[in-house]
Amino acid sequence: MQQGILTVCIQDCAISVSGSRGRAKTRPAVMEPASVAENQPIRSSGRQVNVRVKRCNNTPSGQSKRKAVDTEEEEDQSEKKYRKCEKAGCSATYPVCFASASERCAKNGYTSRWYHLSCGEHFCNECFDHYYRSHKDGYEKYASWKRVWTGNGKSEPSLKAFMADQQLPYWVQCTKSDCRKWRQLTKEIQLTSSLAMTYRCGMKFNNVKNEGPDQCSQPEDMRVAEVIDSWWHSMLILPPLLKDSPASPFLIAYYPDCVGMSPSGSPSNIPLSELKAEHLRVIQPQIPGLCPYFQPFYQPNECGKALCVRPDMMELDELYEFPEFSRDPTMYLALRNLILASWHRDCKEVLTAQKCAAHIIVRGLVRVRCVQELDRVLCFMTRKGLINTGVLSVKEPLLPEPYRNKKVVVIGGGASGLAAARQLQNFGMQVVVLEARDRIGGRVWDDTSMGLAVGRGAQIVNGCVNNPIALMCEQLGIKMHKLGDRCDLIQEGGRTTDPTIDKRMDFHFNAILDVVSEWRKDKSQQQDMPLGEKIQEVYKAFLQESGIQFTDLEEKVLQFHLSNLEFACGSSLDQVSARSWDHNEFFAQFSGDHTLFTQGYSSVLNKLAEGLDIRLNTPVQTIDYSGELVKIMSSSGTQWTAQKVLVTVPLALLQKNTIQFNPPLPERKLKAIHSLGAGIIEKIALQFPYRFWDSKIQGSDYFGHIPPGPENRGMFGVFYDMDPKREQCVLMSVITGDAVATIRDMEDSQVANLCMKVLRELFREQEVPEPVKYFVTHWSKDVWSQMAYSFVKTGGSGEAYDIIAEEVLGKLFFAGEATNRHFPQTVTGAYLSGIREASKMAAL
């Protein structure tokens, strides 16, 4: 803030104002403030000045007494004719009424009281009365507005709110790149997004062409310069409530003013009073053209949905980034909700501040402030990967210059490495990806030799709502196949199990897991035990206490469910922690459809990799982060240097010290690395000359195999039909738990023979042809993975995922499914860990 000294010289006809800069100016005596104390600081246009008052004795001595009396009378008149704004700290010494509603409007003259909306926006007592007094002409307009506001909103429908919502003029920015000045529109002009996107200084309305000189040369209103100052925001009486926000259709079940929108413009056809009466029933809005998997906002009373935000509340990282909005978050929420809604309405193009600014429809100077804040909010949300992410094609860096001056090396070209590299390159950084294999993808590896994509690794998306995989499919125009719920359980011998038996045993199986959940509540890590052992303990206790005897078939169905649990954990249950086996379920998980990615995850990863500098066949041997720059050495002796390095190699390789770190990784991190297990599952896919299973399965996407005994558990537990169109003839199955060790050293033909034996038992009533083609995976022997996905070993904790994810000295970063506590074991989790680390690397 600048400070100067003004000397105010009171003469018989004028006030002479001279300052430390510029020429003296004069103002008619009637403009004298009501009272000016000697040496009292006042505010003027955001600048503090000191005012000294002195009387000029340049009148004849005989007239001095009479002049003194005249001066007192003039001061009394000016006291009545002019009044400062009532708001302490407001810079408006001579307010001007923006409303001009009453015939007696004070305009820039005297009123008994000035009402403050912002520093620069006031209305007089006469215009207040015009709307507030029931006998005045404007009362019905105010009353009508008040009824709508009360019906839709939660905040007080005051006259100040009415003025801000209905009477303040709009401000709009010139779209010419060499101008960008803000102009105040006349009161009768309504701002629309199309006008905001096309406005130019001097634009004429009602089809009248502007033939005058270039209006951009006209100076900008001085009040605009004050808006950026923090004190201006602190003097704002009412928060901005947007009209026609893109977020409106998403948030019809909320009070608009609680989520940054104006109650006078609520689009809901359902009276909010009815919604409140029904305890705000959950309504998932159906928005034409919107992907049904895009649900970025929680609906009232809804919870437990991954990557969802509360539209009426700031998240912790938002509060950390924008502490100035902690007391009243309305402006931030209005902008954030607008941005999120705009992104989900069109995720195929970069969302820019210019696109969003056009949709900030709010009256008054606060619109200037909103547009100014928009840049920061948009930048934050882009850096966090909430918007402008996925396989987006970017022509200009997404982040401003300070974020770009970094050189990064990413080790590993799987889902997490590619996600991070794409983000960082889009931010404007220099990125090199070093991949040990001769292909990208890591544990994503699609085989197309059978006429369609069959994933040797991942191929199912578990929960599509808000899943970034679904986002990228939308960007690429890829459709996934929704998996049906029916899964017939077929016994060896060919008989299909009665569904009631399956439901009964499923109930008992989940009841056992519920008892395990109760048991672990007060248990420490030292009191942990293997999940398989605990399940058997609970099961035996249940049989003894209940006296129930399960049939042989029911026992086998229970074994099927245990096999599925081993599939989920990626390990035999004897190694899995009973205390922490489902640690991620304490966090909101992805909801909605489970889908088969018929085109394969590679279709997305290949697009992520486009334009990246990827060095294949480049195993990294050492990482030296002891100096200012990190040095990376490959096994061939090639060296790279970078300010930051992201390590995305699988957990098994970290456990086996495949990469040498100098200095060694912190003991805390090493302990966490070894407290997790490197789980293994294997897959087999078989192509047949015809679809022999169709008549029995009747359109189901998969069917289950009930093992003949506990020793057979995990051997081809579920068979998936890989072609939803029913054209190709391919089945895929999994080998889990102890069965993995059984087939580990077998030839592929031996594994295929075992599988065919099972299929012929399941379809004994018909001929099952020999497969035309098949493949068997060997992830346990794959040099650059040696695993499928992670799990928590007995005595371990879900916290280990967070510890492995911690950066070291701000130079060494870690990503991958084994660093994602919320979503481990999935391609989605790996991808999101890369986005997370890209955000951290850009910020540090």
Side-chain angles (χ1 to χ4, degrees):
M1 180 180 293
Q2 294 178 329
Q3 186 166 334
I5 298 176
L6 298 185
T7 302
V8 181
C9 183
I10 302 179
Q11 302 178 8
D12 58 338
C13 62
I15 301 172
S16 174
V17 184
S18 62
S20 55
R21 297 182 189 174
R23 187 181 304 173
K25 300 179 181 178
T26 59
R27 187 189 297 274
V30 292
M31 295 295 285
E32 182 184 359
S35 61
V36 183
E38 187 167 0
N39 297 333
Q40 175 188 0
I42 64 172
R43 295 191 71 93
S44 176
S45 300
R47 183 173 58 190
Q48 182 170 302
V49 296
N50 287 327
V51 179
R52 293 200 181 106
V53 180
K54 66 177 182 177
R55 301 282 175 179
C56 294
N57 297 318
N58 57 354
T59 54
S61 58
Q63 299 178 15
S64 59
K65 187 174 181 180
R66 179 172 58 80
K67 288 294 182 183
V69 173
D70 291 344
T71 302
E72 288 175 8
E73 289 175 355
E74 288 172 2
E75 285 179 347
D76 289 341
Q77 289 175 1
S78 64
E79 182 77 41
K80 293 176 183 177
K81 284 194 172 186
Y82 293 92
R83 183 179 293 278
K84 290 175 65 176
C85 174
E86 62 179 12
K87 177 74 173 173
C90 178
S91 59
T93 307
Y94 305 106
V96 178
C97 180
F98 66 78
S100 300
S102 169
E103 291 181 358
R104 300 179 59 198
C105 175
K107 297 190 176 8
N108 62 346
Y110 172 81
T111 184
S112 58
R113 180 182 177 184
W114 284 107
Y115 293 88
H116 174 104
L117 292 182
S118 77
C119 290
E121 294 168 323
H122 304 79
F123 61 97
C124 66
N125 197 61
E126 286 70 26
C127 288
F128 177 96
D129 284 349
H130 176 76
Y131 290 111
Y132 192 75
R133 306 300 174 192
S134 58
H135 63 282
K136 296 284 188 177
D137 293 343
Y139 176 75
E140 184 49 45
K141 186 175 183 179
Y142 170 57
S144 176
W145 169 89
K146 192 173 181 180
R147 284 191 293 271
V148 174
W149 189 280
T150 305
N152 288 327
K154 199 172 185 180
S155 57
E156 182 66 28
S158 64
L159 194 95
K160 282 189 174 182
F162 167 76
M163 287 295 203
D165 190 67
Q166 297 291 309
Q167 299 301 307
L168 271 174
Y170 284 107
W171 288 77
V172 65
Q173 193 172 25
C174 179
T175 55
K176 291 179 69 173
S177 58
D178 57 348
C179 178
R180 308 296 292 163
K181 290 174 184 167
W182 285 92
R183 305 301 188 191
Q184 179 179 302
L185 298 176
T186 54
K187 264 182 66 174
E188 64 273 10
I189 298 175
Q190 296 292 314
L191 182 63
T192 63
S193 57
S194 58
L195 174 58
M197 285 189 281
T198 57
Y199 178 82
R200 294 198 169 195
C201 293
M203 177 183 282
K204 298 297 181 181
F205 298 90
N206 300 323
N207 297 320
V208 178
K209 291 185 178 180
N210 177 25
E211 302 294 346
D214 181 13
Q215 297 295 310
C216 289
S217 61
Q218 299 299 315
E220 190 175 61
D221 191 302
M222 291 178 64
R223 289 175 292 171
V224 173
E226 293 183 334
V227 174
I228 192 63
D229 291 335
S230 58
W231 67 265
W232 188 93
H233 189 218
S234 67
M235 297 289 288
L236 192 63
I237 294 297
L238 297 164
L241 297 175
L242 308 187
K243 298 175 186 286
D244 303 320
S245 170
S248 296
F250 290 86
L251 305 175
I252 57 174
Y254 280 90
Y255 289 110
D257 42 342
C258 292
V259 291
M261 299 186 299
S262 170
S264 68
S266 174
S268 175
N269 295 321
I270 306 167
L272 286 177
S273 56
E274 289 183 19
L275 292 179
K276 307 305 170 288
E278 296 184 21
H279 307 290
L280 280 173
R281 65 181 182 273
V282 173
I283 297 176
Q284 196 55 245
Q286 300 300 312
I287 301 170
L290 188 77
C291 174
Y293 296 144
F294 290 179
Q295 298 173 22
F297 303 106
Y298 276 119
Q299 298 304 304
N301 294 341
E302 186 183 29
C303 61
K305 197 158 64 175
L307 303 193
C308 230
V309 299
R310 283 276 303 268
D312 57 344
M313 187 179 294
M314 292 178 72
E315 308 260 316
L316 286 176
D317 56 348
E318 294 175 318
L319 286 166
Y320 180 81
E321 191 86 7
F322 301 94
E324 67 271 28
F325 292 112
S326 58
R327 177 168 290 182
D328 184 354
T330 308
M331 182 185 291
Y332 179 84
L333 294 175
L335 297 176
R336 179 252 267 159
N337 294 343
L338 181 156
I339 290 168
L340 266 183
S342 299
W343 166 245
H344 284 91
R345 284 181 161 224
D346 183 9
C347 62
K348 296 179 181 179
E349 293 185 4
V350 174
L351 185 64
T352 63
Q354 287 76 17
K355 289 180 184 177
C356 291
H359 293 284
I360 298 176
I361 308 298
V362 63
R363 293 177 180 272
L365 283 165
V366 73
R367 180 168 189 266
V368 180
R369 183 61 178 239
C370 285
V371 172
Q372 290 167 343
E373 294 290 352
L374 181 70
D375 273 326
R376 289 178 61 215
V377 180
L378 194 78
C379 177
F380 168 75
M381 295 177 72
T382 297
R383 179 169 60 80
K384 297 292 281 188
L386 300 171
I387 61 169
N388 292 335
T389 187
V391 295
L392 208 59
S393 177
V394 173
K395 295 177 182 176
E396 298 291 332
L398 294 176
L399 295 185
E401 189 66 41
Y403 291 96
R404 301 182 209 163
N405 298 323
K406 297 185 181 83
K407 190 175 180 181
V408 177
V409 168
V410 175
I411 299 170
S416 57
L418 294 175
R422 164 62 61 191
Q423 285 286 96
L424 292 168
Q425 184 160 295
N426 284 354
F427 291 168
M429 299 184 196
Q430 296 179 54
V431 186
V432 175
V433 180
L434 307 180
E435 169 55 53
R437 305 176 191 271
D438 60 359
R439 61 172 180 83
I440 62 167
R443 284 166 279 175
V444 167
W445 186 14
D446 293 330
D447 189 303
T448 58
S449 65
M450 298 178 183
L452 73 172
V454 181
R456 289 175 174 265
Q459 193 166 4
I460 290 172
V461 182
N462 293 307
C464 288
V465 171
N466 296 333
N467 197 310
I469 304 301
L471 171 80
M472 290 187 281
C473 284
E474 182 72 9
Q475 289 174 326
L476 294 171
I478 294 174
K479 299 295 182 185
M480 293 181 286
H481 171 68
K482 177 183 175 181
L483 292 169
D485 296 327
R486 199 175 101 247
C487 178
D488 294 334
L489 302 186
I490 307 176
Q491 307 161 40
E492 293 198 1
R495 186 174 178 181
T496 301
T497 305
D498 185 341
T500 58
I501 295 176
D502 181 23
K503 286 181 181 178
R504 183 182 181 211
M505 296 316 295
D506 185 51
F507 170 81
H508 284 294
F509 172 69
N510 284 300
I512 291 170
L513 294 179
D514 287 342
V515 174
V516 175
S517 293
E518 282 297 314
W519 164 83
R520 70 184 176 192
K521 282 183 177 177
D522 60 347
K523 298 296 184 291
S524 65
Q525 279 181 247
Q526 288 70 33
Q527 295 171 300
D528 198 5
M529 64 188 297
L531 179 59
E533 186 180 320
K534 188 63 189 176
I535 286 174
Q536 284 302 314
E537 180 186 300
V538 173
Y539 179 54
K540 288 178 182 177
F542 167 73
L543 293 179
Q544 289 174 354
E545 292 172 13
S546 67
I548 291 176
Q549 289 294 319
F550 291 127
T551 66
D552 181 56
L553 176 58
E554 287 172 333
E555 291 277 5
K556 290 177 180 177
V557 172
L558 183 61
Q559 291 297 320
F560 169 81
H561 287 294
L562 289 170
S563 173
N564 257 350
L565 184 59
E566 290 182 320
F567 184 14
C569 293
S571 168
S572 163
L573 300 182
D574 293 333
Q575 299 181 53
V576 179
S577 164
R579 182 175 170 273
S580 301
W581 72 273
D582 61 344
H583 63 98
N584 59 304
E585 293 295 330
F586 293 101
F587 307 101
Q589 296 297 296
F590 290 104
S591 60
D593 298 339
H594 296 283
T595 58
L596 179 68
F597 205 158
T598 51
Q599 293 194 32
Y601 275 102
S602 295
S603 60
V604 163
L605 297 195
N606 289 340
K607 193 67 178 178
L608 275 177
E610 276 187 14
L612 295 178
D613 183 358
I614 302 175
R615 315 290 174 89
L616 298 176
N617 300 305
T618 309
V620 169
Q621 198 166 50
T622 62
I623 299 176
D624 185 339
Y625 62 102
S626 59
E628 185 176 340
L629 292 177
V630 186
K631 297 176 182 177
I632 306 98
M633 181 83 75
S634 73
S635 57
S636 65
T638 309
Q639 183 172 296
W640 291 264
T641 59
Q643 288 147 313
K644 298 178 188 297
V645 171
L646 176 62
V647 179
T648 73
V649 300
L651 175 71
L653 301 191
L654 291 176
Q655 291 174 337
K656 295 179 180 179
N657 300 316
T658 305
I659 298 175
Q660 299 296 314
F661 293 93
N662 181 35
L665 295 177
E667 190 61 35
R668 163 184 165 87
K669 188 181 286 287
L670 290 173
K671 185 178 179 182
I673 287 170
H674 290 283
S675 73
L676 296 183
I680 296 287
I681 66 161
E682 301 292 0
K683 300 173 79 172
I684 182 171
L686 308 102
Q687 183 180 17
F688 295 95
Y690 57 89
R691 298 172 58 85
F692 64 86
W693 57 91
D694 271 352
S695 58
K696 192 166 188 172
I697 303 309
Q698 298 177 348
S700 180
D701 291 310
Y702 38 73
F703 56 91
H705 160 220
I706 295 193
E711 69 280 0
N712 302 104
R713 189 174 85 200
M715 194 70 81
F716 320 115
V718 180
F719 286 88
Y720 293 85
D721 185 339
M722 298 308 292
D723 186 12
K725 295 179 180 178
R726 313 293 187 243
E727 295 171 357
Q728 299 295 328
C729 316
V730 180
L731 290 177
M732 183 272 288
S733 191
V734 290
I735 301 110
T736 62
D738 290 334
V740 172
T742 304
I743 64 108
R744 177 182 171 88
D745 295 320
M746 287 185 179
E747 297 291 331
D748 287 4
S749 58
Q750 293 176 295
V751 179
N753 288 337
L754 275 179
C755 189
M756 288 304 300
K757 184 179 178 183
V758 168
L759 283 170
R760 288 186 170 118
E761 279 292 327
L762 300 185
F763 294 87
R764 185 181 284 186
E765 71 282 357
Q766 66 189 78
E767 183 181 345
V768 176
E770 285 293 316
V772 176
K773 195 178 292 184
Y774 60 83
F775 69 72
V776 179
T777 63
H778 298 281
W779 290 108
S780 62
K781 297 180 179 180
D782 186 294
V783 176
W784 301 116
S785 61
Q786 302 183 37
M787 65 179 294
Y789 41 76
S790 62
F791 65 93
V792 180
K793 291 196 295 191
T794 305
S797 163
E799 187 186 5
Y801 286 88
D802 287 339
I803 296 171
I804 299 173
E806 292 172 353
E807 76 267 6
V808 181
L809 301 178
K811 291 183 283 189
L812 204 56
F813 298 78
F814 294 83
E817 58 86 16
T819 72
N820 194 326
R821 187 176 186 177
H822 291 221
F823 314 112
Q825 307 173 324
T826 62
V827 178
T828 297
Y831 174 87
L832 286 171
S833 73
I835 300 298
R836 177 197 70 213
E837 294 308 302
S839 175
K840 286 161 62 174
M841 295 167 91
L844 286 171

